[in-house]
Amino acid sequence: MRAAIANSGLLRVGEVDDPVPGSGEALVRVAACGICGSDLHALRHGDRMVEQGREAGLPTMFDPHRDHIMGHEFCAEVVELGPDTQGSPVAPGDLVTSIPIALTATGIEPIGAYSNTWNGGYAELMRLSAAMCVKVPNGLDHRRAALTEPMAVGRHAVGKAALQPRDTAVVLGCGPVGLATIAELRHRGVETIVAPDYSARRRATATAMGASEVVDPRTEPAIDAWRRVTGGLQPLVTFEAIGVPGLLDEAMKAAPPQSRIVVVGVCMETDSIHPFVGISKELNLQFVLGYDPFEFLDTLRVIAEGEVDVTPLVTGVCGIDGVPDAFAALDDPEEHVKILVEPGGPATVASLAL
Amino acid sequence: MRAAIANSGLLRVGEVDDPVPGSGEALVRVAACGICGSDLHALRHGDRMVEQGREAGLPTMFDPHRDHIMGHEFCAEVVELGPDTQGSPVAPGDLVTSIPIALTATGIEPIGAYSNTWNGGYAELMRLSAAMCVKVPNGLDHRRAALTEPMAVGRHAVGKAALQPRDTAVVLGCGPVGLATIAELRHRGVETIVAPDYSARRRATATAMGASEVVDPRTEPAIDAWRRVTGGLQPLVTFEAIGVPGLLDEAMKAAPPQSRIVVVGVCMETDSIHPFVGISKELNLQFVLGYDPFEFLDTLRVIAEGEVDVTPLVTGVCGIDGVPDAFAALDDPEEHVKILVEPGGPATVASLAL
């Protein structure tokens, strides 16, 4: 099969052996797989990621200097079920998705980035744990279904914010994670959602996803826009969805006393903060990561039932041969929000409105 | 009256005019006033404190380059009540304490540090808002009563940790704030309280205040001691009660996934953290400051009823003339934990066991 292979910060496309489904596994044909900011991180900062994980006392088997296949935001069609898949919730021909975790006899394995298991969505075929697969309901198309995973990240971040009635939100950064956060805030009934971004395109997408006020921070800082809109006396939760050094400190300085900051943007660098600012305002910082299986399932339901429209997120599509081009294109926030890889698609990124 | 006067990082002792109680005020004679780490901070890092407060958008009228009287952990005897004090909860002769806030016609004024209102506890006399004064109950002596304020800080920090049954604690640093935190954790029934400190004296005090395990971090890191004692699988709340750059990052790296860190130590420097560590473990950082009036009142009750014994905290006493010596002595953690200023006491710090 054709696959995009990552190794030591580089991506190449080539032919590799087809995977063979093992015990409990389904062989699936990838219909669409979104490119995640964390893939760009893992490709470019893999060594730092491993080193920081080790310093934090986390187990990792990921070696960025071995060939690996990334891609964990997938929707796929079941080709065949391997041995020991009796009672599987899915059958050949089903369009499915799954959290990107494989159950194996020796433990759990991440699918896609941070893994050397040769099993990711930037390929024609993948192996999934049949027991983890979920049928895509309601005739939802494969492109929207592939957005379940990134949307679940926003859902989880908002869940961790422990929202109270009357809470208002500032979402710093309108990349896919910020946009998923905005959509979930709106889905939960938060009315005031202020979203700054330098990119006009991303600001427009933020509005489409439910932001009540978008600003270019060069013209008006987000906190000023929040004050203008709310009068400055309502409870605020700030979501830091950028992950660049200095932004957390900035968010802490801007935050009103007693407010919460949810850190969902992945900053791989050492960052500087002023603890006195946090102390003097009794800020709460909640770092968040991922989602749980129930959040993932319910996110799929929310999309399939049309409670949240993910259409504005997808801005481009490419084939496996286009993956390196797509990674480069995602560096320009004016150009794209989310690019989906569809095996068999074009060798360069085609712009798309769903 | 005699007073210790701070200005531009220096302390001098001299004679100043006696204060005159204004509308709503009680004139009180200081019985004892504890020296707080924040006084050392305000004296030495006053400019930085003002600058960071301004950056954080907080109002401040404090000018470290004007003469001011610090001291906000006081117990005092009412000398006379000024005008407009009908219905005051206290009368001349009463031993009282108060949160260090004065109500004035133009707003509230901090008493002691961070204020230029010429009203602090390192003096023979002070003005207090009569309505804010609380009579010291149960015949509690003035020395223990003066510990209400720092103990309320620990009580508040523990309150903000939102403890759950089965929570265990690591308290980083056994200075007065760490010790107050330890005492409150024990008071609330937390059984496992691991407390590291380089100072043997402070470790002994931590044990006396309720720590279940004290360690010298040169011999065994706190988190290793916590794992040894708990097996590493119980929920953990870490209290960072030191406030030195690098410690928050260290605490984040050591913390188990999904755990909370309460930041109660005041770090005045820029600090470095690794957000990826926080994200990968979904840590929660709660910065805390001070206490509310109800926490203050109940802390006084808890001390007066003997629920918490503050005796081990007080290690020295001095007169107003001894304040500069006491500030110097507090730099050596082996020498002292809490020094009380008693007007009329010795001109150098006398060691003391209550």
Side-chain angles (χ1 to χ4, degrees):
Chain A
M1 66 170 180
R2 209 142 179 84
I5 299 149
N7 188 326
S8 306
L10 297 174
L11 271 176
R12 68 178 196 276
V13 178
E15 289 292 324
V16 300
D17 289 343
D18 284 1
V20 176
S23 173
E25 290 184 334
L27 181 71
V28 300
R29 184 171 301 281
V30 175
C33 182
I35 298 176
C36 176
S38 72
D39 290 333
L40 279 76
H41 269 306
L43 186 67
R44 293 167 187 173
H45 308 289
D47 285 325
R48 198 174 302 151
M49 204 171 245
V50 170
E51 181 197 328
Q52 292 200 11
R54 195 174 292 135
E55 283 184 9
L58 298 170
T60 175
M61 304 162 300
F62 176 49
D63 175 0
H65 304 290
R66 284 167 58 192
D67 280 356
H68 55 284
I69 303 176
M70 300 197 291
H72 57 272
E73 304 178 355
F74 47 78
C75 176
E77 188 187 320
V78 177
V79 177
E80 65 172 278
L81 294 173
D84 310 316
T85 50
Q86 299 83 350
S88 158
V90 295
D94 284 346
L95 193 65
V96 302
T97 184
S98 160
I99 65 170
I101 293 284
L103 307 175
T104 78
T106 55
I108 61 169
E109 278 174 5
I111 293 172
Y114 337 123
S115 145
N116 292 110
T117 53
W118 198 250
N119 197 18
Y122 306 151
E124 290 178 271
L125 297 163
M126 305 172 67
R127 297 171 292 107
L128 297 180
S129 291
M132 305 284 274
C133 289
V134 197
K135 268 184 79 163
V136 174
N138 283 15
L140 184 70
D141 66 276
H142 66 280
R143 288 179 175 172
R144 288 178 178 83
L147 289 163
T148 303
E149 206 274 352
M151 292 300 289
V153 171
R155 180 195 172 89
H156 176 71
V158 174
K160 280 288 218 179
L163 292 177
Q164 302 290 314
R166 293 184 50 246
D167 272 346
T168 63
V170 168
V171 180
L172 299 173
C174 299
V177 169
L179 293 166
T181 301
I182 289 167
E184 178 62 14
L185 286 165
R186 171 60 49 153
H187 181 237
R188 293 200 189 199
V190 175
E191 286 175 12
T192 302
I193 306 167
V194 178
D197 202 291
Y198 290 115
S199 152
R201 169 158 207 170
R202 291 194 168 189
R203 289 198 301 275
T205 312
T207 300
M209 297 306 288
S212 60
E213 190 76 22
V214 295
V215 288
D216 181 338
R218 286 167 294 210
T219 310
E220 185 182 27
I223 196 68
D224 292 355
W226 173 79
R227 270 201 205 91
R228 170 171 54 74
V229 170
T230 64
L233 294 174
Q234 297 194 39
L236 172 65
V237 185
T238 303
F239 293 83
E240 203 294 86
I242 302 176
V244 166
L247 280 172
L248 182 54
D249 192 49
E250 221 173 273
M252 289 172 69
K253 285 178 178 164
Q258 303 289 335
S259 70
R260 284 164 285 153
I261 300 174
V262 178
V263 184
V264 58
V266 178
C267 174
M268 293 305 300
E269 323 285 325
T270 304
D271 203 359
S272 288
I273 62 168
H274 291 85
F276 180 67
V277 171
I279 288 165
S280 62
K281 297 193 280 192
E282 292 210 306
L283 302 180
N284 184 277
L285 267 56
Q286 175 66 58
F287 294 91
V288 301
L289 178 73
Y291 43 79
D292 70 36
F294 302 102
E295 290 169 326
F296 184 90
L297 271 182
D298 200 54
T299 302
L300 176 60
R301 181 195 64 75
V302 160
I303 297 171
E305 295 189 358
E307 291 179 23
V308 168
D309 180 12
V310 295
T311 308
L313 290 176
V314 181
T315 56
V317 67
C318 68
I320 288 168
D321 287 3
V323 171
D325 181 49
F327 270 59
L330 285 166
D331 281 331
D332 177 3
E334 214 40 82
E335 206 177 342
H336 283 289
V337 178
K338 178 65 75 183
I339 296 173
L340 297 180
V341 179
E342 290 182 340
T348 56
V349 179
S351 287
L352 182 81
L354 262 185
Chain B
M1 67 170 181
R2 209 143 178 85
I5 298 149
N7 189 328
S8 304
L10 297 173
L11 272 176
R12 67 177 197 277
V13 178
E15 291 293 324
V16 300
D17 289 343
D18 284 3
V20 176
S23 173
E25 290 184 333
L27 180 71
V28 302
R29 184 171 302 280
V30 175
C33 182
I35 298 176
C36 175
S38 71
D39 290 333
L40 279 75
H41 269 306
L43 186 67
R44 292 167 187 172
H45 307 290
D47 285 326
R48 200 175 300 151
M49 205 172 246
V50 169
E51 181 197 327
Q52 291 199 12
R54 195 173 293 137
E55 283 184 8
L58 298 170
T60 175
M61 303 161 301
F62 176 49
D63 176 0
H65 305 291
R66 284 167 58 192
D67 280 356
H68 55 284
I69 303 176
M70 300 197 292
H72 57 272
E73 304 178 356
F74 47 79
C75 176
E77 188 187 320
V78 177
V79 177
E80 64 173 276
L81 294 173
D84 311 317
T85 50
Q86 300 83 348
S88 158
V90 295
D94 284 347
L95 193 65
V96 302
T97 184
S98 160
I99 64 170
I101 293 283
L103 307 175
T104 78
T106 55
I108 60 169
E109 280 174 5
I111 292 173
Y114 338 121
S115 144
N116 292 110
T117 54
W118 199 250
N119 197 19
Y122 306 151
E124 291 179 271
L125 297 163
M126 304 172 69
R127 297 171 292 109
L128 298 179
S129 291
M132 305 286 274
C133 289
V134 198
K135 268 184 78 162
V136 173
N138 282 16
L140 184 70
D141 66 277
H142 65 280
R143 288 178 175 174
R144 288 178 178 83
L147 289 163
T148 304
E149 206 274 352
M151 292 299 289
V153 172
R155 179 196 172 89
H156 177 71
V158 174
K160 280 290 220 178
L163 292 176
Q164 301 289 315
R166 294 184 51 246
D167 272 346
T168 63
V170 168
V171 180
L172 300 173
C174 299
V177 169
L179 293 166
T181 301
I182 289 167
E184 178 63 15
L185 286 165
R186 171 60 48 153
H187 181 236
R188 293 201 188 198
V190 175
E191 287 175 11
T192 302
I193 306 167
V194 178
D197 201 291
Y198 290 115
S199 152
R201 168 156 208 173
R202 292 193 168 190
R203 290 198 300 275
T205 311
T207 301
M209 297 305 289
S212 61
E213 190 76 23
V214 294
V215 288
D216 181 339
R218 285 167 295 211
T219 311
E220 185 181 28
I223 196 68
D224 292 356
W226 173 80
R227 271 203 203 87
R228 169 171 55 73
V229 169
T230 63
L233 293 175
Q234 296 193 39
L236 172 64
V237 185
T238 304
F239 292 83
E240 203 294 86
I242 302 176
V244 166
L247 280 172
L248 182 55
D249 192 50
E250 220 173 272
M252 288 173 68
K253 285 177 177 163
Q258 302 290 335
S259 70
R260 284 164 286 153
I261 300 174
V262 178
V263 183
V264 57
V266 178
C267 174
M268 293 305 301
E269 323 286 324
T270 304
D271 203 0
S272 288
I273 63 168
H274 291 84
F276 180 67
V277 172
I279 288 165
S280 63
K281 297 193 279 192
E282 291 210 308
L283 301 180
N284 185 277
L285 268 56
Q286 175 66 59
F287 293 91
V288 300
L289 177 73
Y291 44 79
D292 70 35
F294 302 101
E295 289 169 326
F296 184 90
L297 271 181
D298 200 54
T299 301
L300 176 60
R301 182 195 64 74
V302 160
I303 298 172
E305 295 189 356
E307 291 179 22
V308 168
D309 180 11
V310 295
T311 309
L313 290 176
V314 180
T315 56
V317 67
C318 68
I320 289 167
D321 287 3
V323 171
D325 181 49
F327 270 59
L330 285 166
D331 281 331
D332 177 3
E334 214 41 81
E335 207 177 342
H336 283 288
V337 178
K338 178 65 75 183
I339 297 173
L340 296 181
V341 179
E342 289 182 341
T348 57
V349 179
S351 287
L352 181 83
L354 263 185

